[in-house]
């Protein structure tokens, strides 16, 4: 798992990510990305079936979306993987959110067809340092000239990543 990067499946999150990075750069505000994955998700699919795995992901999505702020962007980014763009948060604030999400999932009961399925998640996060607005504008100008679906604005230099922590 790469720290400080999001493994993207399509461009659904791209607009939100770019908007929040631009806002953080323009107003010198903190910005973090919290990612989490269902531990042993492939084992869960094998043991209980893919329909059960899909049901668990939907249940996690509902539980998490009810417990985050309206301005946070929450999306599924891969099989058993989710990400939350968390504006105005870094350091202790994002660590508190990660702990809270792990507890929400661990304390919940997940099931499918009258079978209880034990679920835990692993979290990780990264926080941006102050981003230079001209530098951010250059990234967005480059983004406009390339095929968005095939271009990764987080590719290459990751010097703007202040911290990356897997918990």
């Amino acid at each position: 798992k790469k720290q400080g990067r999001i493994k993207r499946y399509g461009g659904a999150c791209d607009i939100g990510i770019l908007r929040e990075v631009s806002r953080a750069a323009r107003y010198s505000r903190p910005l973090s990305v919290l990612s989490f994955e269902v531990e042993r998700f492939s084992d869960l699919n094998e043991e209980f079936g893919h329909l059960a795995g899909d049901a668990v992901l939907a249940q996690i999505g509902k539980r998490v979306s009810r417990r985050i702020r309206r301005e946070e962007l929450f999306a599924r980014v891969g099989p058993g993987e989710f990400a939350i763009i968390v504006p105005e948060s870094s350091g202790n604030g994002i660590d508190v959110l990660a702990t809270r999400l792990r507890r929400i999932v661990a304390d919940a009961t997940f099931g499918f067809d009258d079978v209880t399925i034990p679920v835990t998640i692993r979290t990780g996060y990264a926080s941006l340092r102050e981003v230079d607005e001209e530098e951010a504008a250059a990234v967005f100008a480059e983004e406009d000239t390339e095929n968005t679906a095939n271009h990764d604005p987080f590719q290459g230099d990751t010097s703007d990543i202040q911290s990356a922590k897997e918990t």
Side-chain angles (χ1 to χ4, degrees), residues 112-123:
F112 181 75
D113 282 347
D114 298 325
V115 176
T116 300
I117 301 171
V119 177
T120 56
I121 60 171
R122 181 174 47 197
T123 61

Side-chain angles (χ1 to χ4, degrees), residues 29-145:
R29 305 301 304 161
L31 177 67
S32 296
V33 176
L34 184 142
S35 63
F36 66 92
E37 66 180 345
V38 176
E39 292 185 304
R40 298 177 307 278
F41 183 66
S42 60
D43 295 341
L44 184 153
N45 275 336
E46 287 180 25
E47 184 176 345
F48 299 101
H50 289 277
L51 290 177
D54 290 345
V56 166
L57 294 178
Q59 292 168 39
I60 289 172
K62 286 180 184 176
R63 284 185 170 88
V64 170
S65 64
R66 288 190 302 233
R67 290 178 174 85
I68 61 174
R69 297 180 298 180
R70 184 175 31 134
E71 60 272 8
E72 294 170 345
L73 176 65
F74 174 53
R76 182 175 172 194
V77 295
E81 300 171 6
F82 297 86
I84 305 171
I85 307 301
V86 189
E88 304 295 330
S89 187
S90 62
N92 189 50
I94 196 75
D95 197 39
V96 167
L97 177 59
T99 300
R100 188 176 68 181
L101 290 179
R102 286 192 306 275
R103 189 173 309 125
I104 286 167
V105 172
D107 292 346
T109 301
F110 297 93
F112 181 75
D113 282 347
D114 298 325
V115 176
T116 300
I117 301 171
V119 177
T120 56
I121 60 171
R122 181 174 47 197
T123 61
Y125 63 83
S127 298
L128 289 177
R129 274 187 273 178
E130 189 174 311
V131 178
D132 181 84
E133 191 170 359
E134 288 180 20
E135 193 176 313
V139 169
F140 302 130
E142 181 182 325
E143 180 72 21
D144 288 340
T145 62

